[in-house]
Amino acid sequence: MTDVVVVGIGADGWPGLGEAAREAVAKADVIAGSRRQLSLLPEMPADIVEWPSPLLPALRELLASGKRVCVLASGDPMHHGIGATIAKIIPSVRVIPHPSSVSLACARLGWPVESVTVVSMVGRPLSAVFAPGRRFIVLSEGSGSPAAVAEALQACGYDQSALTVLEQLGGPGERIGPIRDDLDPLNVVAVECVAADPLPIVPGLPDDAYDHDGQLTKREIRAVVMAFLQPNGLLWDVGGGAGSIAIEWMRADRSCRAVTVERDPERAARIAGNAGRLGVPTLKVVTGTAPHALAALDPPDAVFIGGGLTAEGVPETCWQALKPGGRLVATAVTVESETVLARWHKEKGGDLTRLSVSRAAPVGGFTGWRPAMPVTIWSTRKPQDFAT
Ligand SMILES: C[S@@+](CC[C@H](N)C(=O)[O-])C[C@H]1O[C@@H](n2cnc3c(N)ncnc32)[C@H](O)[C@@H]1O
């Protein structure tokens, strides 16, 4: 059985390793790591393996070799690191952590670690819902990441935020300061959010937070829809429009995922833009027509039908795919779509609600009520013991 140890190493290299970590490296038959990590070690008798790309097949082969393997990782191997991947393959793995870049950044800034939200830009776009006073530590992918963070802050009115780049933390080349031209690729970005006119963090963002062509579930209705949906897990947002339901679902919690299906390519492109700007760029946008476009999607924990209710097979497909215990919420403004909801409500139960919203607007020199079309909302839950 392969003896595997994962050793966290910092920018302070070999001198920064403790006794146990040095011993684990020195005793290994094979030492594996990135070129940068391996370059931090003194001459060793072991075989040295630099990670190829893709990493996973090489890792599996190495872990099955029966040799004493030492894998190097940056900082804390169990924090956005290779340690967690290895622990899944070899549960008996021994992990020797080094302070993570997050711990070092918080130490330099005087921030309690528990006061920060950590997000990674390594191999993925920045996903961060900014809110006044919220602190983020962003794990950069390279020297361009700090500028991408600044751009994301600017795009949603947070350009007054304090942004600090912390390079080569713990090493001889450590530098802490604002964005510069010659940033080291090894850096993290610390952000303390400040905005003059912040968006709310609860559902029901103002309509003008979205780029839209009028196909948008309006703010007041959206807030009620979100209350019925109760964000948790994976959402299908059928008939995405501007993407507001899927976006607010994902903003509710970092664990929430969503896929939105929109038949109009121009709107689909707009949804992606809205999602990026509002901090949830990993929203999956499918350009296609329901129900066909739903066929290849993972089963959802909840479904919202905001468009396509009267299309043949849309509610049936959604209901079939929904996980037992999941919620289905649908809105209707036409007599035809209301008829569909009435039928489904009769068959499956749940709440049928009708909302009429009027907004005050100028009428000559006075103020009058401008009514929007009433919206019918059906909300139900699939039984836990649903079998067919
Ligand atoms: C009222 S809008 C939904 C608004 C959306 N909930 C929002 O807040 O942005 C309805 C959308 O459903 C889309 N749609 C209608 N039928 C569809 C179908 N069968 N498949 C996919 N999209 C559909 C329309 O193109 C339109 O963009």
Side-chain angles (χ1 to χ4, degrees):
M1 168 107 173
T2 310
D3 173 20
V4 184
V5 58
V6 184
V7 171
I9 188 163
D12 48 359
W14 184 254
L17 293 186
E19 202 54 45
R22 285 183 184 206
E23 198 180 310
V25 176
K27 276 190 178 163
D29 301 320
V30 183
I31 304 172
S34 70
R35 178 179 301 180
R36 189 186 60 75
Q37 290 155 352
L38 292 166
S39 74
L40 296 169
L41 300 183
E43 198 72 30
M44 288 284 159
D47 291 342
I48 303 294
V49 175
E50 191 184 314
W51 292 130
S53 175
L55 185 148
L56 215 52
L59 178 64
R60 284 186 188 280
E61 194 178 316
L62 190 63
L63 297 182
S65 67
K67 296 181 177 161
R68 278 177 304 185
V69 175
C70 172
V71 174
L72 298 180
S74 287
D76 182 348
M78 301 305 285
H79 188 244
H80 289 274
I82 198 168
T85 311
I86 295 177
K88 269 196 212 139
I89 304 170
I90 307 229
S92 63
V93 62
R94 189 158 66 99
V95 178
I96 305 179
H98 193 272
S100 69
S101 52
V102 172
S103 298
L104 291 171
C106 287
R108 303 294 186 266
L109 297 166
W111 289 1
V113 176
E114 67 273 16
S115 75
V116 305
T117 302
V118 179
V119 293
S120 173
M121 286 185 76
V122 180
R124 64 196 92 164
L126 175 68
S127 293
V129 176
F130 302 126
R134 233 175 231 185
R135 286 169 168 171
F136 290 90
I137 302 278
V138 182
L139 308 180
S140 294
E141 177 152 70
S143 48
S145 301
V149 176
E151 207 177 298
L153 286 164
Q154 184 151 23
C156 46
Y158 277 86
D159 42 339
Q160 295 164 35
S161 304
L163 185 154
T164 309
V165 188
L166 301 100
E167 301 162 79
Q168 287 279 349
L169 275 165
E174 178 172 314
R175 282 194 300 194
I176 297 174
I179 294 180
R180 288 190 325 272
D181 285 340
D182 63 336
L183 287 174
D184 192 283
L186 204 64
N187 71 75
V188 298
V189 187
V191 175
E192 189 155 40
C193 296
V194 180
D197 187 15
L199 286 173
I201 53 167
V202 293
L205 300 190
D207 293 344
D208 62 10
Y210 296 94
D211 182 13
H212 67 91
D213 61 0
Q215 290 293 315
L216 174 80
T217 303
K218 303 299 180 296
R219 179 183 200 171
E220 299 81 357
I221 305 294
R222 201 180 330 120
V224 173
V225 164
M226 296 309 294
F228 279 124
L229 277 173
Q230 300 181 22
N232 180 27
L234 173 67
L235 173 78
W236 284 6
D237 177 18
V238 181
S244 73
I245 299 293
I247 288 170
E248 296 192 20
W249 173 277
M250 288 185 69
R251 282 173 62 93
D253 190 81
R254 291 175 76 190
S255 66
C256 289
R257 296 172 302 123
V259 48
T260 181
V261 175
E262 171 54 56
R263 67 182 175 194
D264 181 309
E266 216 174 295
R267 289 191 190 132
R270 232 182 256 127
I271 293 174
N274 284 330
R277 200 165 26 76
L278 293 168
V280 291
T282 54
L283 166 62
K284 184 170 169 187
V285 183
V286 174
T287 308
T289 300
H292 313 289
L294 305 171
L297 306 180
D298 289 342
D301 297 287
V303 178
F304 174 67
I305 308 175
L309 202 51
T310 54
E312 176 93 33
V314 166
E316 289 80 1
T317 305
C318 294
W319 183 257
Q320 280 299 328
L322 185 64
K323 288 187 194 164
R327 291 177 192 283
L328 193 151
V329 179
T331 52
V333 288
T334 65
V335 172
E336 289 77 8
S337 51
E338 263 194 0
T339 308
V340 174
L341 291 192
R343 184 162 51 79
W344 277 80
H345 172 248
K346 191 159 184 214
E347 212 174 287
K348 309 285 182 204
D351 297 310
L352 199 56
T353 310
R354 194 163 201 238
L355 291 185
S356 300
V357 174
S358 299
R359 289 180 177 171
V363 179
F366 296 92
T367 305
W369 295 108
R370 286 257 150 77
M373 285 169 87
V375 179
T376 303
I377 306 174
W378 176 53
S379 168
T380 195
R381 199 154 173 234
K382 191 168 175 175
Q384 286 286 1
D385 57 359
F386 185 83
T388 54

